[in-house]
Amino acid sequence: MRICILGSKKSKETRFLLAEAEKRGHSAQAVLIDDLIFAGGRERVIIYKNKDIAHLFDLFLVRGLTRHPDEPLLLCAYLAERGRVVVDKRLAHKRYYRTKLATAFKFAKSSINYPATYFVSSSKKIGEVLKKVSFPLIVKEVWGMHSHGVLRFAKKEEAKNFFKNKKGEYLIQEDLQEDEYIRVFVVGREVIGAIKRTKKRPLGSLAVKAGVSSKKIKVSQELNNLALKAM
C-alpha cells in the first residue's frame, strides 16, 4: 500500500509511522502542504511532484492540519472522491472542527469529566471569564501544538496582564495539576491502542518550550468504554 502522511517531516511521530509502514511492507512518504499545488477554476487537481496526488497514494493519513487548515480539508475531500482511503473520514465527509474548544464541547455533551474551558475572541471579555474559573489556571493557544506554549497563572492579575492587548486566540482552562494524560486511538467504533503522555512540569507564566513524552499502554475495559462514550 502507498501511504501519504501529511505532517511534519521531522517529527518523531512521523519517523515512527514511516518506520512502521516500511516494517509492514508498505511504501510511505511524509508530505507537507507546501509540497502541493492546488489547481482550480479551469481544472480541478492537486499536484505532487508534477503528478495528480490521487494517482500516487492509496491511503492518506493527516497528522497536522496546521494553522491554515482549509487546504488539508480540500485535499481529503478530493482524495475521497477518487476512492482513496482518508484517515479519519470526518476530514473528507463531515464538518470538522479544528480546535480544542470543539473537544471541550464534545466532552461536555458526552457528560465526560473535562477541565472547565473558556474561549473568547476578544480580550475585552477576559475579565468576565476570570470570574468564572478558579486559580491556578492554564492558558494555551486554541490550536494546540504538542503542549508547546502552555502557560500557568496562579493569580488573576497575572492573567489579566497577559491578555492586555492580546490579539491571538487562546483557551483558558482550570489547571487539574496532573502530570499525565491518556490518548486513546479509535477507528470507527474500535479502540486500537492508547498512549500515556507526560507533560513538562512545573508550568509557569513563561511559555513551555518542551513538549511531552509518550509511551504505549494497555487499554483496560474501562478505558475502552470511556473512549467509545466520547465519540
Side-chain angles (χ1 to χ4, degrees):
M1 180 180 292
R2 302 168 301 172
I3 302 172
C4 174
I5 301 171
L6 181 68
S8 170
K9 296 180 179 180
K10 298 180 180 180
S11 75
K12 184 184 295 185
E13 184 178 40
T14 298
R15 293 200 302 271
F16 286 160
L17 288 168
L18 292 172
E20 188 65 25
E22 182 178 353
K23 186 192 304 183
R24 294 170 181 259
H26 305 297
S27 66
Q29 292 183 46
V31 176
L32 298 172
I33 285 296
D34 293 344
D35 297 330
L36 305 178
I37 297 174
F38 291 75
R42 291 185 174 83
E43 60 178 341
R44 184 171 178 271
V45 63
I46 299 175
I47 301 166
Y48 177 61
K49 293 185 176 179
N50 296 317
K51 296 182 180 179
D52 183 345
I53 194 171
H55 297 158
L56 299 176
F57 300 101
D58 306 302
L59 183 145
F60 188 81
L61 175 62
V62 177
R63 296 309 307 142
L65 289 176
T66 76
R67 293 176 181 272
H68 304 285
D70 290 339
E71 292 85 352
L73 298 180
L74 286 170
L75 176 57
C76 289
Y78 177 80
L79 290 170
E81 288 173 7
R82 282 154 178 75
R84 299 298 178 256
V85 177
V86 176
V87 181
D88 69 53
K89 289 184 178 180
R90 289 178 300 171
L91 294 165
H93 300 300
K94 297 182 180 179
R95 181 72 177 100
Y96 191 87
Y97 298 100
R98 302 181 291 267
T99 72
K100 294 184 182 295
L101 177 61
T103 303
F105 264 61
K106 176 67 176 176
F107 279 10
K109 184 178 180 181
S110 302
S111 300
I112 292 176
N113 189 23
Y114 192 81
T117 303
Y118 299 88
F119 167 78
V120 291
S121 58
S122 171
S123 59
K124 295 178 182 178
K125 296 292 184 180
I126 293 301
E128 295 180 35
V129 171
L130 297 182
K131 293 177 183 177
K132 296 178 179 293
V133 64
S134 58
F135 284 79
L137 57 76
I138 295 295
V139 173
K140 63 180 77 170
E141 291 190 39
V142 71
W143 297 102
M145 188 59 70
H146 301 292
S147 292
H148 288 248
V150 179
L151 301 103
R152 179 180 184 270
F153 297 105
K155 298 179 180 179
K156 183 179 292 186
E157 286 304 313
E158 294 177 351
K160 288 178 69 174
N161 288 336
F162 172 79
F163 281 104
K164 194 176 294 182
N165 302 319
K166 276 286 188 298
K167 295 182 179 180
E169 297 180 318
Y170 296 88
L171 289 181
I172 302 168
Q173 292 182 316
E174 63 175 329
D175 183 8
L176 299 183
Q177 301 186 49
E178 297 288 343
D179 295 336
E180 298 176 329
Y181 66 95
I182 294 172
R183 178 168 292 177
V184 182
F185 301 95
V186 183
V187 177
R189 294 290 299 174
E190 180 183 356
V191 174
I192 62 171
I195 56 174
K196 179 178 285 187
R197 313 195 84 188
T198 303
K199 306 176 185 178
K200 179 179 178 180
R201 288 279 185 172
L203 297 176
S205 57
L206 296 178
V208 174
K209 294 182 180 179
V212 296
S213 59
S214 306
K215 66 177 182 179
K216 182 179 178 180
I217 63 170
K218 185 176 180 180
V219 180
S220 66
Q221 189 60 51
E222 179 183 7
L223 186 57
N224 185 94
N225 295 343
L226 184 63
L228 294 179
K229 182 181 178 183
M231 297 297 292

